[in-house]
Amino acid sequence: MKRSMDKLHLSLCELCMSLSHMQKIIIFDHVVTPAEYLSSNIEKKFSRALVSLVNWKPNTREIQRPSEVLSAMRSFLNTLQSIAHVVNIDITRAIRNTLLQQTQAVDANGEQTITALYTNWYLECLLRQASAGLVLYSPSMKCFIDIPTEMSGEQGLNADEYTDSLGAWM
């Protein structure tokens, strides 16, 4: 896995370096700017990649822990910043635009964002169980915890994994 990722990263760097050598390409009376094309596509792909990191499964109501998504997002950011070293594009602007769009319910393409997915999950799953008395806040642990219920055959939510204020963002 590591080896194939290294090869992919090398191929990406080589492709980016080749884009830096051509300012514009004329194709059938149309001027294409490879760096602009790459920049706009990076924004779209990065946005979709971030949403896919959430790994939301509506039928089972499973979602990735926010700390795991943050860790994977940092890996993406490091890769994108390495691209900026080999191609002359403003990758910081692309990252900023993408992350700013992820704070809204839908992004510029009209697709759901990380914020929308987590907001819906917290409303539908966590708050519903909290209002039913199946999840309580633990001041000593500084997070919400599941109350074990033997009578209901429901599996716990593991609320502490999604509401831990100390470890969730590290």
Side-chain angles (χ1 to χ4, degrees):
M1 175 86 174
K2 173 88 169 124
R3 180 171 243 171
S4 67
M5 290 301 284
D6 289 341
K7 285 181 182 179
L8 290 172
H9 188 261
L10 178 63
S11 297
L12 183 61
C13 288
E14 288 173 346
L15 177 64
C16 290
M17 289 178 76
S18 67
L19 290 175
S20 294
H21 293 300
M22 295 296 293
Q23 295 291 343
K24 60 183 176 180
I25 301 170
I26 300 174
I27 303 172
F28 299 115
D29 297 329
H30 294 285
V31 177
V32 177
T33 310
E36 270 185 47
Y37 179 78
L38 177 65
S39 181
S40 66
N41 275 300
I42 282 176
E43 284 186 40
K44 288 178 192 171
K45 300 287 184 186
F46 183 46
S47 182
R48 287 188 184 130
L50 290 177
V51 172
S52 72
L53 291 175
V54 174
N55 202 18
W56 167 240
K57 297 175 184 156
N59 52 346
T60 60
R61 294 190 169 182
E62 291 179 45
I63 199 166
Q64 200 74 355
R65 289 183 62 191
S67 57
E68 292 170 358
V69 172
L70 182 61
S71 177
M73 186 187 322
R74 286 181 177 149
S75 296
F76 268 101
L77 291 174
N78 288 337
T79 301
L80 290 175
Q81 288 170 339
S82 70
I83 291 171
H85 296 296
V86 292
V87 69
N88 190 22
I89 61 172
D90 188 3
I91 200 71
T92 305
R93 182 190 56 79
I95 291 170
R96 190 178 329 115
N97 287 346
T98 303
L99 292 178
L100 185 60
Q101 288 177 29
Q102 290 300 313
T103 65
Q104 306 300 312
V106 292
D107 64 8
N109 299 318
E111 297 178 21
Q112 248 185 342
T113 62
I114 290 176
T115 299
L117 292 173
Y118 276 113
T119 300
N120 291 337
W121 183 85
Y122 276 97
L123 288 172
E124 290 175 13
C125 298
L126 185 68
L127 290 179
R128 183 168 291 157
Q129 291 212 1
S131 65
L134 300 172
V135 175
L136 293 175
Y137 182 73
S138 169
S140 62
M141 294 176 65
K142 296 185 179 181
C143 67
F144 286 88
I145 56 170
D146 296 328
I147 295 177
T149 56
E150 292 147 11
M151 292 185 186
S152 74
E154 265 184 58
Q155 184 178 357
L157 178 62
N158 293 336
D160 55 326
E161 291 183 9
Y162 297 94
T163 60
D164 180 11
S165 64
L166 300 175
W169 305 108
M170 302 221 172

